[in-house]
């Protein structure tokens, strides 16, 4: 059994900060670090916390993993290939460590939290120094100190549903920031490993979230991305906590120009949330609404708790309340038992909705999930054929869908100099779609107005408007 969800007491967080200073004072501690991140935004933000804690311990970022004294693999296990990639990269470092025995290696994140994985790592990856799960992330100062003093591999993986406040964060971007509002997931979609590796849902207190948002605004952050496996169920785990729409209304007042969120479960998308978005000044007109499949029997076996028609109804309501809203989704093909007819229902849903973008995946069985033991697993050649057809359809429709932006005004927060040209910059528009326009490094972090002049694959090309 899991222990109850637990807010880590302030004294424990203070103890971790003290231990960080203790590490800092050690003569034989690592001096530099490199974090390798896999997976979703949750993991990206966890890596910012890892970096924040390591910098409190006096470590500095290394330019390359081969040169770092301490390499941390923050792993993902959502699909088998994510896991294979992480393990392959850990193994690759073994040779480097042979040449530089003082190098320390940690494996953490969702894969480390998978049942049986820590034992497997200890046996097959003996050069790994430290293994810790998602629930123990905030204990990194204590774990690193113990490992440095013990001289033997250390494992800290347990099932506790922790809720730590005040972990230091080293943000990768200065203009945009992640802000976690809830951890874990209670949905147990039959294919998904996340509830097993991230624990039960637990929502942060509204005052903690608002305080963090205010601090980010004061630091000049212009965009926040609220994070949770299912932000729509924020607060549902505890009576008396405000729910997501009211949290959004409060955040809208904080003075941050752009507010986005990730991810939403269609079953919990309320009319009130749609209203809160429509009323707000700063919540951007975009929505990531994973559908997974267009077929009712498959949705039922996926344990998604909505039907195709309920999903389509949500989409209609979103579009009616927020005209032009940017819509994206996730879809899985070749779920066990998916017939050609089921798959065609997914194709027809895609044609009906017309998403601005879609992440498409081939079903990957995950040990311990319900669907892994379902009969009628789909052969790889059929899966490959289906994903190819789905991608082709989405790409063809996307061109048309995105052309609604032609000659329209948009606004983007410039994220980087374009990969293709030094005289172009790119970032996300208000609708969540990438925009490229003429510019240079001096524009990074600025919000620029533009007119869309061209659609190129999944990107909009803009011209500046003064
Ligand atoms: N909490 C988010 C999803 C997190 S995982 C949500 O519910 O929307 C991101 C996506 O990975 C999922 O939406 C799903 O499409 C895909 N995914 C999850 N488990 C998978 C599996 N076993 N095989 C293939 N794709 C999977
Ligand atoms: Fe996984 Fe479903 Fe939870 Fe998303 S809602 S994390 S797909 S179990
Ligand atoms: Fe992967 Fe964990 Fe995210 S399994 S997708 S990193 S929650």
């Amino acid at each position: 059994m899991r222990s109850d969800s637990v807010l880590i007491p302030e004294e424990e967080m203070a103890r971790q900060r003290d231990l960080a200073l203790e590490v800092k004072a050690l003569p034989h501690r690592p001096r530099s670090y490199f974090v390798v991140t896999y997976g979703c935004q949750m993991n990206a933000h966890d890596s910012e916390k890892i970096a924040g804690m390591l910098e409190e311990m006096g470590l500095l970022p290394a330019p390359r993993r081969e040169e770092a004294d301490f390499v941390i693999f923050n792993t993902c296990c959502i699909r088998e290939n994510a896991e294979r990639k992480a393990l392959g990269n850990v193994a690759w470092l073994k040779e480097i460590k042979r040449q530089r025995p003082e190098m320390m290696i940690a494996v953490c994140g969702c894969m480390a939290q998978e049942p049986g994985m820590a034992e497997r790592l200890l046996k097959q990856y003996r050069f790994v120094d430290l293994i810790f799960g998602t629930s123990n992330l905030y204990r990194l100062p204590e774990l690193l100190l113990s490992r440095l003093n013990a001289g033997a591999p250390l494992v800290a993986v347990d099932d506790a549903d922790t809720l730590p406040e005040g972990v230091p964060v080293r943000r990768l971007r200065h203009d945009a920031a992640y802000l976690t509002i809830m951890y874990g997931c209670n949905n147990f979609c039959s294919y998904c490993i996340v509830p097993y590796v991230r624990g039960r849902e637990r929502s942060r207190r509204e005052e903690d979230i608002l305080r963090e948002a205010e601090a980010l605004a004061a630091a000049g952050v212009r965009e926040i991305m609220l994070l949770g496996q299912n932000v729509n169920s924020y607060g549902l785990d505890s009576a008396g906590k405000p729910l997501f729409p009211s949290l959004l209304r409060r955040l809208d007042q904080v003075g941050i120009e752009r507010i986005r969120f990730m991810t939403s479960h269609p079953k919990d998308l309320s009319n009130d949330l749609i209203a809160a978005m429509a009323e707000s000044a700063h919540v951007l007109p975009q929505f990531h609404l994973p559908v997974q499949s267009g077929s009712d029997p498959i949705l039922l076996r996926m344990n998604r708790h909505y039907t195709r028609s309920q999903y389509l109804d949500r989409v209609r309501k979103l579009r009616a309340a927020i005209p032009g809203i940017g819509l994206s989704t996730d879809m899985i093909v070749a779920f066990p038992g998916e017939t050609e007819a089921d798959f065609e229902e997914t194709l027809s849903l895609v044609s009906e909705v017309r998403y601005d973008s879609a992440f498409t995946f081939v079903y990957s069985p995950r040990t311990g999930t319900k669907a892994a033991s379902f009969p009628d697993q789909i052969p790889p050649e059929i899966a490959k054929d289906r994903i190819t057809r789905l991608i082709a359809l989405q790409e063809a429709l996307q061109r048309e869908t995105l052309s609604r932006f032609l000659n329209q005004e948009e606004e983007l927060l410039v994220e980087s100099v374009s990969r293709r040209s030094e005289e172009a910059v790119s970032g996300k528009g208000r609708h969540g779609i990438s925009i490229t326009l003429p510019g240079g490094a001096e524009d990074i972090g600025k919000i620029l107005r533009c007119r869309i002049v061209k659609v190129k694959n999944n990107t909009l090309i803009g011209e500046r408007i003064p």
Side-chain angles (χ1 to χ4, degrees):
M1 275 302 280
R2 289 175 171 273
S3 54
D4 280 348
S5 74
V6 52
L7 180 66
I8 305 298
E10 173 48 32
E11 305 80 69
E12 169 61 9
M13 297 308 293
R15 190 176 76 91
Q16 294 297 333
R17 286 195 293 275
D18 290 345
L19 292 169
L21 296 178
E22 228 174 280
V23 173
K24 192 172 183 177
L26 285 179
H28 62 288
R29 68 165 169 85
R31 301 279 145 183
S32 63
Y33 73 90
F34 193 94
V35 189
V36 187
T37 310
Y38 304 93
C40 64
Q41 286 92 349
M42 297 275 173
N43 256 21
H45 190 36
D46 281 350
S47 288
E48 294 184 322
K49 293 179 185 168
I50 292 168
M53 288 185 278
L54 291 173
E55 298 206 358
E56 289 223 325
M57 293 184 252
L59 281 75
L60 294 170
R64 271 182 299 276
R65 68 184 82 170
E66 303 89 290
E67 292 166 34
D69 293 342
F70 188 24
V71 180
I72 303 95
F73 288 94
N74 189 12
T75 59
C76 171
C77 56
I78 195 80
R79 284 168 290 277
E80 201 190 338
N81 53 6
E83 198 170 299
R84 208 180 305 126
K85 201 161 117 194
L87 287 172
N89 280 314
V90 175
W92 180 82
L93 218 56
K94 185 177 177 184
E95 195 44 44
I96 309 282
K97 183 161 170 159
R98 220 198 297 273
Q99 295 156 22
R100 290 187 46 221
E102 74 284 4
M103 175 190 259
M104 291 180 68
I105 299 174
V107 177
C108 67
C110 294
M111 188 185 82
Q113 189 86 44
E114 254 184 286
M117 182 52 82
E119 293 76 8
R120 180 174 160 200
L121 285 167
L122 276 181
K123 243 197 235 142
Q124 295 175 8
Y125 297 76
R126 290 175 173 222
F127 56 97
V128 170
D129 298 279
L130 183 57
I131 300 162
F132 58 99
T134 53
S135 60
N136 285 314
L137 185 86
Y138 74 96
R139 288 175 57 211
L140 183 56
E142 173 190 345
L143 299 174
L144 183 55
L145 187 65
S146 307
R147 174 63 188 85
L148 286 168
N149 290 333
L154 187 78
V155 178
V157 177
D158 56 51
D159 267 356
D161 288 338
T162 56
L163 184 53
E165 286 295 341
V167 175
V169 176
R170 181 183 188 265
R171 285 190 284 115
L172 284 176
R173 284 177 68 180
H174 296 289
D175 53 338
Y178 293 125
L179 202 174
T180 305
I181 64 166
M182 49 94 68
Y183 298 89
C185 183
N186 287 351
N187 290 316
F188 289 95
C189 301
S190 60
Y191 50 82
C192 184
I193 196 149
V194 170
Y196 302 90
V197 293
R198 290 264 173 188
R200 294 296 70 71
E201 275 178 16
R202 51 233 191 252
S203 299
R204 291 178 68 195
R205 293 178 302 203
E206 192 183 53
E207 62 266 30
D208 292 329
I209 297 171
L210 288 171
R211 204 177 317 120
E212 187 171 335
E214 281 157 10
L216 291 170
V221 165
R222 313 193 73 181
E223 177 180 295
I224 51 174
M225 163 84 91
L226 308 176
L227 294 182
Q229 288 301 345
N230 177 13
V231 292
N232 296 170
S233 63
Y234 170 77
L236 286 181
D237 57 338
S238 156
K241 247 182 220 163
L243 302 181
F244 189 51
S246 85
L247 176 68
L248 267 191
R249 290 185 174 102
R250 298 284 300 273
L251 285 167
D252 197 39
Q253 310 294 321
V254 165
I256 289 180
E257 286 148 286
R258 294 164 49 119
I259 302 175
R260 313 163 65 191
F261 51 86
M262 194 77 144
T263 303
S264 294
H265 194 303
K267 80 175 162 57
D268 300 313
L269 201 188
S270 65
N271 290 337
D272 193 29
L273 172 57
I274 299 177
M277 285 183 79
E279 287 159 27
S280 76
H282 303 292
V283 179
L284 295 183
Q286 51 178 268
F287 215 101
H288 183 63
L289 194 59
V291 66
Q292 314 300 359
S293 167
S295 151
D296 281 339
I298 296 290
L299 287 170
L300 188 67
R301 290 212 296 281
M302 285 179 162
N303 196 30
R304 290 290 286 179
H305 294 281
Y306 54 83
T307 61
R308 173 193 177 101
S309 95
Q310 285 166 337
Y311 180 91
L312 290 172
D313 179 61
R314 303 280 84 194
V315 169
R316 263 191 300 276
K317 288 205 165 102
L318 275 170
R319 284 191 164 142
I322 308 152
I325 189 169
L327 272 185
S328 54
T329 198
D330 295 344
M331 286 175 283
I332 297 176
V333 303
F335 184 77
E338 184 187 71
T339 62
E340 174 63 21
D342 291 319
F343 173 65
E344 282 169 13
E345 290 274 286
T346 300
L347 294 178
S348 85
L349 180 127
V350 166
S351 303
E352 202 168 329
V353 175
R354 294 177 176 257
Y355 294 103
D356 293 308
S357 68
F359 298 92
T360 49
F361 307 106
V362 171
Y363 166 74
S364 167
R366 305 314 290 135
T367 308
T369 61
K370 262 204 169 140
S373 58
F374 283 179
D376 307 322
Q377 302 278 330
I378 306 292
E381 49 300 351
I382 294 184
K384 184 142 194 282
D385 170 66
R386 288 185 185 162
I387 192 119
T388 310
R389 286 156 66 198
L390 180 59
I391 292 171
L393 175 66
Q394 171 58 23
E395 280 178 357
L397 293 171
Q398 198 163 299
R399 222 164 299 145
E400 282 172 45
T401 317
L402 293 182
S403 60
R404 78 180 183 283
F405 291 103
L406 279 176
N407 300 316
Q408 302 292 310
E409 281 191 21
E410 251 288 8
E411 217 177 62
L412 81 156
L413 174 61
V414 178
E415 187 176 338
S416 57
V417 174
S418 165
R419 260 173 294 163
R420 285 193 197 86
S421 152
E422 294 218 337
E423 280 131 50
V425 289
S426 49
K428 285 269 161 70
R430 292 174 53 78
H431 296 80
I433 299 146
S434 294
I435 302 179
T436 298
L437 47 70
E442 67 284 0
D443 294 316
I444 293 174
K446 284 187 194 159
I447 293 179
L448 298 179
R449 288 204 313 138
C450 65
R451 182 176 306 284
I452 303 303
V453 291
K454 203 172 151 191
V455 178
K456 207 172 156 193
N457 306 325
N458 52 359
T459 306
L460 303 173
I461 312 292
E463 253 173 27
R464 283 183 180 220
I465 307 176

